[in-house]
């Protein structure tokens, strides 16, 4: 059925439409309502979220820096239902080899790396709590509806979004339960989609928002939640490690966070500018857990949940222009993660609050659908800008010089930035992560050990406990632009890395008598966006499936 034959969309009008019910989007909405109360005004705000509920798609470590929460909701930690209760008590850093490791002295760490005063907890549960706060102050939240289309006025300004149609089969034919998407129109639209948001990507291209910034950089973060033997549980313990199992040229690291209720969060971050197409981030994560310094933590325990998500790593120099006619970018959509600290939720909240202040002023002035340039002009001088500026060279130094030279140089640069200067100025990133991959001819396949089903696991059993679900009879949301190019390049030159970089078993090259066939198991997708980032030809386009699909993380 063509667009012209479809029934007309219904629509609703608001002052501000927010896309994404994560920390940044909810902070924007809450702060707008707070400002409205302070000024005796009325600001209508709606938040649309593709997950089945707020928090369903949220995945993070997480050791949370509370500065954002303290600013948004003073006294939050004293509330009876506060979502974060485990304070960091011990903070350990390790350099690992295959058989052992060295704990690095805390006094050698730059002050900003200190985790004392932070909280260990589930970012998903924090988001659920923030959603309750938002609704209590008058924000409308619509979970289970994926923002699928950008709406523009006759001058080219963003005027809102349209949610995706529901009930369309694999061939694009409306089924019996077909429901047309809805237009959510706003005087301004805030994009808080997280890393590599599919609408944000289109906006950056349309308005040239990256014209004066470095290429975006990403990592993939994989995480498991374990219930461990009480004798092995140390609430408040934070452990970070780098080195093995990765080679010195490949950036990344691991973490273990001991939270409440005998739960331990274990995770692995792999920088997506790796060169070797035979690397599997999932398998490297499983290998990490077998290290003799950490494997005993899991003995007698049980794995509860699993998930994966792309992480923005470009930092200060990769942040695009944040404003355009009719809208703004906030949080991880803008790239506000502090890479060495592995933290972004505090900046997400702070950037949402900052955007809200500028949007409220524009609304007060009777403006709409124009560019709120004051937000773009002020962020570098804000707490967010200062936080990212101090660590801006850590990622490029690590990428350029490898683990054993790049990390010490990055630590030196963080120390000197604490004192107000840098020997390096502001370094560039150079290549995109897609362009960093090298042909398979220069590497040998990696023989990863088979999972034992106790400490290490396979992808499909892991996807099962992520509670991932998609309506099977719907259009595939992972779009391959050119299948012949995929065979000629991704398969023949790079040995099919999609089968390895995807942490959920979505992509397979199936050998048939007529030749290899590219199979997409879209129902497995955990919405990590790695394919959209790492495919060497940028030939895969991640788009939103029907709303409510994807993972349903319970406590991640």
């Amino acid at each position: 059925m063509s667009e012209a034959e479809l029934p007309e969309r219904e629509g609703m009008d608001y002052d501000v439409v927010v896309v994404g019910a994560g920390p940044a989007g909810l902070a924007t909405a809450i702060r707008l309502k707070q400002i409205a109360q302070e000024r005796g005004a009325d600001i209508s705000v709606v938040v649309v979220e593709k997950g089945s509920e707020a928090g369903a798609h949220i995945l993070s470590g997480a050791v949370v820096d509370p500065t954002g929460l303290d600013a948004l909701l003073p006294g939050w930690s004293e509330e009876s239902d506060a979502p974060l209760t485990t304070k960091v008590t011990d903070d350990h850093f390790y350099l690992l080899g295959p058989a052992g490791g060295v704990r690095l002295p805390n006094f050698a760490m730059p002050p900003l790396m200190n985790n004392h005063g932070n909280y260990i907890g589930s970012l998903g549960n924090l988001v659920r709590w923030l959603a309750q706060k938002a609704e209590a102050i008058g924000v409308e939240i619509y979970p289970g509806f994926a923002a699928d289309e950008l709406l523009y006025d006759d001058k080219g300004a963003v005027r809102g979004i349209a949610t995706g149609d529901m009930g369309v089969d694999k061939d694009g034919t409306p089924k019996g339960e077909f429901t047309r998407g809805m237009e959510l129109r706003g005087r301004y639209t805030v994009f808080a989609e997280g890393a590599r948001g599919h609408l944000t990507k289109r906006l950056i291209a349309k308005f040239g928002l990256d014209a004066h910034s470095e290429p975006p950089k990403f990592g993939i973060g994989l995480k498991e939640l374990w219930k461990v033997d009480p004798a092995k549980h140390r609430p408040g313990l934070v452990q970070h490690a780098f080195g093995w199992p990765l080679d010195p040229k490949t950036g990344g690291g691991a973490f273990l966070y001991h939270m409440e209720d005998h739960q331990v969060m274990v995770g692995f971050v792999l920088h997506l500018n790796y060169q070797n197409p035979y690397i599997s981030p999932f398998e490297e994560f499983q290998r990490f857990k077998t290290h003799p310094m950490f494997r005993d933590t899991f003995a007698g325990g049980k794995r509860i949940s699993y998930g994966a998500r792309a992480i923005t790593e470009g930092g200060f120099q990769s942040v695009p222009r944040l404003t355009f006619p009719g809208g703004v970018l906030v949080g991880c959509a803008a790239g506000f993660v502090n890479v060495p600290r592995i933290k972004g939720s505090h900046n997400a909240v702070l950037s949402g609050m900052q955007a809200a202040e500028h949007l409220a002023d524009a609304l007060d002035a009777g403006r709409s659908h124009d560019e709120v340039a004051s937000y773009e002009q002020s962020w570098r001088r804000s707490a967010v800008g200062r936080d990212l500026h101090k660590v801006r060279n850590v990622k490029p130094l690590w990428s350029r010089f490898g683990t054993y030279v790049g990390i010490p140089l990055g630590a030196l640069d963080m120390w000197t930035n604490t004192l107000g200067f840098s020997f390096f100025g502001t370094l560039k990133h150079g290549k995109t992560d897609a362009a960093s991959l090298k042909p398979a001819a220069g590497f040998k396949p990696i023989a990863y050990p088979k999972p034992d089903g106790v400490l290490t696991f396979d992808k499909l059993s892991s996807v099962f406990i992520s509670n991932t679900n998609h309506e099977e009879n719907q259009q595939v949301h992972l779009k391959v632009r050119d299948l012949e190019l995929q065979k000629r390049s991704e398969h023949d030159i790079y040995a099919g890395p999609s089968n390895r970089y995807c942490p959920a078993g979505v992509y397979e090259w199936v050998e048939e008598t007529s030749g290899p066939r590219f199979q997409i198991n879209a129902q497995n997708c955990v919405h990590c966006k790695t394919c959209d980032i790492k495919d060497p030809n940028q030939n895969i386009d991640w788009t939103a499936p029907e709303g409510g699909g994807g993972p349903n993380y319970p406590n991640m």
Side-chain angles (χ1 to χ4, degrees):
M1 186 179 289
S2 69
E3 185 75 20
E5 295 174 300
L6 291 171
E8 188 175 348
R9 292 189 184 108
E10 294 183 5
M12 299 172 69
D13 294 291
Y14 296 87
D15 290 316
V16 178
V17 175
V18 179
V19 181
L26 291 171
T28 307
I30 290 170
R31 186 62 192 134
L32 280 166
K33 283 294 191 178
Q34 289 173 338
I35 294 170
Q37 289 181 348
E38 292 164 5
R39 299 180 182 179
D42 182 24
I43 300 176
S44 58
V45 184
V46 65
V47 179
V48 61
E49 164 57 37
K50 66 183 175 66
S52 61
E53 64 170 346
H57 289 179
I58 296 294
L59 183 82
S60 183
V63 173
V64 177
D65 179 339
T67 52
L69 283 174
D70 291 343
L72 180 66
L73 298 167
W76 67 270
S77 61
E78 299 169 10
E79 297 187 24
S80 59
D81 63 342
L84 301 173
T85 58
T86 304
K87 285 191 174 183
V88 175
T89 56
D90 288 297
D91 201 6
H92 299 175
F93 295 88
Y94 301 92
L95 173 62
L96 302 183
V102 177
R103 181 181 170 187
L104 305 178
N106 284 43
F107 69 80
M109 296 292 150
L112 59 87
M113 296 296 290
N114 184 357
N115 277 303
H116 289 275
N118 297 332
Y119 289 82
I120 302 172
S122 161
L123 193 64
N125 287 343
L126 171 59
V127 163
R128 291 178 177 93
W129 182 81
L130 284 173
Q132 294 173 2
K133 294 292 185 184
E135 289 182 321
I137 203 172
V139 176
E140 294 181 34
I141 301 178
Y142 295 131
F145 292 92
D148 183 62
E149 182 183 334
L150 294 162
L151 303 177
Y152 299 98
D153 66 16
D154 55 5
K155 295 180 180 178
V158 174
R159 64 179 184 89
I161 59 92
T163 63
D165 295 340
M166 305 280 278
V168 179
D169 71 15
K170 290 180 179 180
D171 300 321
T173 304
K175 296 182 288 190
E177 67 272 23
F178 174 78
T179 304
R180 192 77 164 104
M182 177 174 284
E183 290 190 0
L184 297 175
R185 300 178 292 260
R187 292 166 65 184
Y188 295 103
T189 306
V190 177
F191 293 87
E193 296 181 285
R196 198 66 166 191
H198 66 293
L199 296 184
T200 302
K201 186 173 68 168
R202 296 178 207 171
L203 288 166
I204 290 172
K206 177 178 176 61
F207 292 106
L209 303 179
D210 57 352
H212 302 292
S213 58
E214 281 291 291
K217 306 294 287 184
F218 299 91
I220 177 173
L222 306 101
K223 175 184 171 181
E224 294 174 352
L225 180 65
W226 283 69
K227 189 95 165 184
V228 301
D229 181 342
K232 304 177 189 299
H233 186 239
R234 293 179 56 187
L237 173 62
V238 167
Q239 296 170 298
H240 289 109
F242 58 92
W244 188 90
L246 300 178
D247 65 76
K249 293 182 179 180
T250 303
F255 61 81
L256 276 80
Y257 302 151
H258 291 239
M259 56 189 292
E260 70 274 2
D261 195 26
H262 306 137
Q263 294 178 101
V264 173
M265 299 180 285
V266 55
F268 195 84
V269 177
L270 183 69
H271 300 177
L272 286 177
N273 61 354
Y274 65 83
Q275 300 175 2
N276 184 347
Y278 290 112
I279 284 177
S280 166
F282 177 87
E283 299 294 351
E284 297 294 348
F285 176 32
Q286 299 306 310
R287 278 213 297 175
F288 162 75
K289 290 184 295 178
T290 68
H291 193 276
M293 292 185 70
F294 299 105
R295 66 175 301 143
D296 186 59
T297 301
F298 309 104
K302 180 182 179 181
R303 189 175 68 147
I304 299 171
S305 189
Y306 163 82
R309 187 70 172 90
I311 303 167
T312 58
E313 292 190 343
F316 188 84
Q317 51 271 63
S318 291
V319 175
R321 184 175 179 85
L322 302 180
T323 58
F324 45 89
V328 302
L329 307 180
V330 295
C332 288
F336 286 146
V337 171
N338 184 313
V339 174
R341 297 184 71 200
I342 326 179
K343 289 178 181 58
S345 61
H346 64 301
N347 285 338
V349 171
L350 291 171
S351 68
M353 293 178 66
Q354 188 174 351
E357 301 278 351
H358 293 278
L359 290 169
D361 288 345
L363 292 168
D364 272 358
R367 295 161 53 190
S368 64
H369 304 134
D370 62 344
E371 182 169 357
V372 187
S374 57
Y375 170 51
E376 161 65 24
Q377 294 161 0
S378 65
W379 79 265
R380 290 174 182 81
R381 301 188 302 273
S382 72
V384 175
R386 294 192 298 271
D387 185 58
L388 296 185
H389 191 261
K390 291 177 182 177
V391 301
R392 66 195 182 280
N393 291 323
V394 173
K395 169 77 173 184
L397 285 168
W398 196 342
S399 300
R400 186 174 303 179
F401 295 106
T403 297
Y404 299 124
V405 176
I407 287 182
L409 287 176
L412 171 65
D413 194 62
M414 283 190 284
W415 269 111
T416 59
N417 271 283
T418 301
L419 301 174
F421 71 98
S422 170
F423 293 116
F424 303 103
T426 298
L427 298 175
K428 295 184 176 182
H429 291 301
K431 295 180 181 178
T432 65
D433 293 329
S436 300
L437 201 67
K438 292 188 174 181
F443 302 88
K444 294 181 179 179
I446 301 172
Y448 288 108
K450 292 183 178 180
D452 61 17
V454 178
L455 176 62
T456 59
F457 303 89
D458 62 18
K459 287 183 182 179
L460 293 185
S461 66
S462 300
V463 172
F464 179 77
I465 62 170
S466 72
N467 301 310
T468 293
N469 183 60
H470 295 88
E471 166 60 45
E472 288 198 26
N473 188 18
Q474 66 171 294
Q475 291 183 296
V476 174
H477 66 282
L478 304 158
K479 312 293 186 184
V480 180
R481 296 184 175 92
D482 185 339
L483 277 171
E484 195 281 327
L485 173 62
Q486 202 70 8
K487 160 65 174 64
R488 186 177 72 247
S489 178
E490 201 259 349
H491 178 274
D492 294 353
I493 296 175
Y494 295 97
S498 56
N499 177 252
R500 292 178 287 276
Y501 63 58
C502 174
V506 170
Y507 300 103
E508 295 180 78
W509 282 101
V510 180
E511 295 298 332
E512 298 180 338
T513 54
S514 58
R517 174 175 59 84
F518 195 47
Q519 179 166 307
I520 301 175
N521 305 308
Q523 68 274 16
N524 288 0
C525 179
V526 294
H527 298 203
C528 74
K529 317 289 182 68
T530 304
C531 56
D532 195 288
I533 297 163
K534 191 59 178 174
D535 180 81
N537 303 292
Q538 291 291 271
N539 195 34
I540 299 176
D541 187 24
W542 193 99
T543 65
E546 285 191 2
N552 285 279
Y553 297 132
N555 192 24
M556 298 283 272

